């Protein structure tokens, strides 16, 4: 069942068309990710759905509810991760959560939220003394205090180191286990790939493509990239490339010194033929790997641009 429908959203700031025309629906209980480069229109889209920015055009429906007629009911259903600046730096996580809880008729217990976002140990430290990752976890906790059905997280891991980012991912997956619907924006392809049920790639205010991470990758191609390197150096790689180019199963090749990259829809057949060739020639293969396509490859294929974090 769809919990949210967004149709033909548009928003301009002066001459800048931040969101040109965006439509999608979000299913109950899924992690739906909007990914795109800087300035793609992710935050503006999210803020329109959250009721913080008024669209120039388009419709936003939470089931039967819309912002014009049912703003109070929608506010009770959604939780928005506050910006760091909205937290009280001189208060502790516990005090921030208690304070935010007073804004709502019904709130989850502070103790429960601290446990959920793994901050029980730090509950009595001032927020200004917390690390970036701990602050982001507190922000997620603050979004959860009203026990919302839909949680909005705008770039929850930007600027965090890889370990802190993984800790936030674990919490997001916990929220999903609790049955929450999560709408997330991110710059990070790996994050979208790891967390999302569906990913919507946006660029310049428009949706480039939308599907599950595996669906996006499969739709694009069944090709795999086979990487090899040779102990015998450049000459072996050069010969192997010539041999591979003549095979029907190989669509493209690339070589740098003793390292070779081959693209094929039949990696097993290719490796079989190639190993036969290297054995005949007595070349020694140092390393072999089959590289899966990633969301990054999908982005490049759809937009023709390299991904920038
Ligand atoms: P980022 O990843 O950098 O946060 P984003 O994908 O979230 O980018 P938005 O913040 O939605 O993108 O911005 C889209 C475009 O709209 C940008 O060109 C931005 O400068 C512009 N923009 C956003 N908000 C405003 C505003 N309040 N006034 C003027 N321009 C704005």
């Amino acid at each position: 069942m769809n919990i949210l429908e967004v149709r033909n959203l548009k928003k301009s700031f002066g001459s800048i068309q931040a969101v040109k025309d965006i439509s999608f629906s979000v299913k109950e209980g899924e992690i739906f990710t909007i990914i795109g480069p800087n300035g793609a229109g992710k935050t503006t889209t999210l803020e329109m759905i959250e009721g913080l920015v008024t669209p120039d055009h388009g419709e936003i429906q939470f089931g039967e509810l819309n912002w014009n007629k049912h703003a109070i009911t929608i506010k009770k259903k959604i939780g928005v991760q506050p910006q760091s600046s909205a937290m009280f730096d001189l208060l502790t996580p516990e005090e921030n959560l208690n304070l935010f809880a007073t804004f709502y008729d019904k709130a989850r217990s502070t103790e429960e939220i601290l446990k959920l976002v793994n901050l029980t140990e730090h509950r009595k430290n001032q927020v200004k003394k917390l690390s970036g990752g701990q602050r982001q976890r507190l922000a997620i906790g603050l979004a959860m205090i009203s026990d919302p059905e839909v949680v909005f997280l705008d770039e929850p891991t930007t600027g965090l180191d890889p370990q802190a980012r993984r800790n936030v991912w674990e919490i997001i997956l916990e929220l999903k286990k609790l049955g929450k619907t999560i709408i997330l924006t991110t710059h990070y392809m790996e994050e979208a790939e790891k967390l999302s049920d569906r990913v919507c790639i946006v660029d310049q205010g428009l949706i480039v493509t939308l599907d599950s991470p595996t669906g996006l990758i499969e739709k694009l191609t069944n090709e795999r990239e086979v990487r090899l390197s040779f102990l015998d150096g450049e000459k072996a790689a050069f010969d192997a490339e010539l041999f591979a180019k003549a095979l029907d199963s190989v669509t493209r090749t690339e070589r740098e010194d003793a390292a070779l990259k081959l693209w094929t829809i039949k990696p097993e057949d290719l490796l079989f033929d190639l190993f036969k060739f290297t054995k005949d020639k007595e070349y020694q293969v140092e390393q072999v790997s089959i590289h899966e396509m990633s969301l990054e490859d999908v982005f490049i294929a759809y937009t023709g641009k390299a991904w920038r974090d």
Side-chain angles (χ1 to χ4, degrees), residues 6-12 17-24 40-41 45 48 57-59 200-208:
V6 169
R7 278 189 292 270
N8 304 111
L9 276 192
K10 296 179 188 173
K11 181 74 190 177
S12 294
Q17 283 184 284
V19 174
K20 288 181 186 149
D21 190 356
I22 283 195
S23 304
F24 57 79
T45 302
M48 287 192 276
H57 183 271
E59 287 164 47
C200 168
I201 300 182
V202 294
D203 191 28
Q204 296 179 6
L206 290 169
I207 295 183
V208 175

Side-chain angles (χ1 to χ4, degrees), residues 74-94:
I74 296 175
K75 279 184 191 159
K76 288 183 184 163
K77 274 169 83 84
I78 69 170
V80 177
Q81 169 203 353
Q83 301 287 324
S84 268
S85 55
M87 294 182 215
F88 294 90
D89 264 11
L90 297 177
L91 301 184
T92 66
E94 194 170 47

Side-chain angles (χ1 to χ4, degrees), residues 123-149:
R123 69 187 189 282
K124 299 220 178 284
N125 298 344
Q126 278 183 328
V127 167
K128 68 174 186 185
K129 294 188 182 140
L130 299 181
S131 69
Q134 289 162 350
R135 290 170 74 99
Q136 286 292 34
R137 291 191 335 249
L138 176 58
I140 297 175
L142 293 169
M144 283 292 291
I145 194 80
S146 63
D147 199 19
E149 287 173 40

Side-chain angles (χ1 to χ4, degrees), residues 18-302:
V19 174
K20 288 181 186 149
D21 190 356
I22 283 195
S23 304
F24 57 79
S25 53
V26 177
K27 294 180 194 143
E28 196 174 343
E30 76 173 338
I31 300 184
F32 184 90
T33 301
I34 303 174
I35 185 161
N38 284 327
K42 304 181 294 293
T43 302
T44 308
T45 302
L46 216 61
E47 289 184 347
M48 287 192 276
I49 301 170
E50 293 164 353
L52 299 173
V53 167
T54 311
D56 295 337
H57 183 271
E59 287 164 47
I60 297 160
Q61 286 282 142
F62 288 89
E64 296 300 307
L65 310 173
N66 65 63
W67 280 109
N68 294 331
K69 295 190 190 141
H70 314 100
I72 294 172
T73 321
I74 296 175
K75 279 184 191 159
K76 288 183 184 163
K77 274 169 83 84
I78 69 170
V80 177
Q81 169 203 353
Q83 301 287 324
S84 268
S85 55
M87 294 182 215
F88 294 90
D89 264 11
L90 297 177
L91 301 184
T92 66
E94 194 170 47
E95 289 164 340
N96 269 280
L97 285 162
N98 285 336
L99 180 64
F100 273 63
T102 63
F103 303 158
Y104 302 94
D105 305 337
K106 175 186 80 142
R108 285 178 91 111
S109 83
T110 296
E111 205 176 314
E112 202 183 350
I113 298 289
L114 285 168
K115 201 166 156 211
L116 178 70
V117 296
N118 210 1
L119 282 177
T120 308
E121 218 181 292
H122 303 282
R123 69 187 189 282
K124 299 220 178 284
N125 298 344
Q126 278 183 328
V127 167
K128 68 174 186 185
K129 294 188 182 140
L130 299 181
S131 69
Q134 289 162 350
R135 290 170 74 99
Q136 286 292 34
R137 291 191 335 249
L138 176 58
I140 297 175
L142 293 169
M144 283 292 291
I145 194 80
S146 63
D147 199 19
E149 287 173 40
V150 187
V151 187
F152 291 93
L153 304 175
D154 193 5
E155 299 187 10
T157 65
T158 293
L160 301 187
D161 64 55
Q163 186 54 48
R165 188 172 295 158
R166 281 194 174 75
N167 294 341
V168 170
W169 293 353
E170 274 174 31
I171 290 162
I172 295 172
L173 291 170
E174 275 304 309
L175 302 190
K176 182 179 156 80
K177 277 196 206 148
L178 291 173
K180 307 297 171 194
T181 304
I182 296 145
I183 303 177
L184 180 82
T185 70
T186 184
H187 281 189
Y188 303 114
M189 282 290 179
E190 194 195 356
E191 182 162 304
E193 213 165 328
K194 288 256 159 63
L195 295 179
S196 322
D197 293 296
R198 288 187 308 141
V199 183
C200 168
I201 300 182
V202 294
D203 191 28
Q204 296 179 6
L206 290 169
I207 295 183
V208 175
T209 181
L210 192 168
D211 203 339
S212 64
T214 46
L216 285 175
I217 292 163
E218 273 168 20
K219 209 188 283 174
L220 182 70
T221 178
N222 291 322
E223 245 180 31
R224 295 282 174 273
E225 183 188 318
V226 176
R227 293 181 188 170
L228 291 120
S229 61
F230 293 86
L231 283 174
D232 317 273
E234 201 171 341
K235 165 89 171 72
F238 179 83
D239 283 352
E241 185 181 24
L242 266 189
F243 171 78
K245 271 188 172 157
L247 295 173
D248 287 342
S249 58
V250 174
T251 50
R252 192 154 56 96
T253 69
E254 217 178 86
R255 186 180 61 82
E256 202 182 328
D257 304 326
L260 191 57
K261 287 183 187 171
L262 306 167
W263 283 266
T264 177
I265 49 167
K266 293 181 182 163
E268 297 82 6
D269 290 3
L270 167 65
L271 286 175
F272 182 82
D273 291 338
L274 208 64
F275 282 132
K276 202 161 165 291
F277 169 80
T278 53
K279 191 161 184 288
D280 287 348
K281 292 273 184 189
E282 296 183 355
Y283 288 143
Q284 291 187 69
V285 176
E286 186 184 21
Q287 273 189 335
V288 186
S289 62
I290 300 179
H291 170 77
E292 298 284 331
M293 295 290 281
S294 69
L295 264 191
E296 193 162 340
D297 298 317
V298 175
F299 182 82
I300 294 167
Y302 275 96

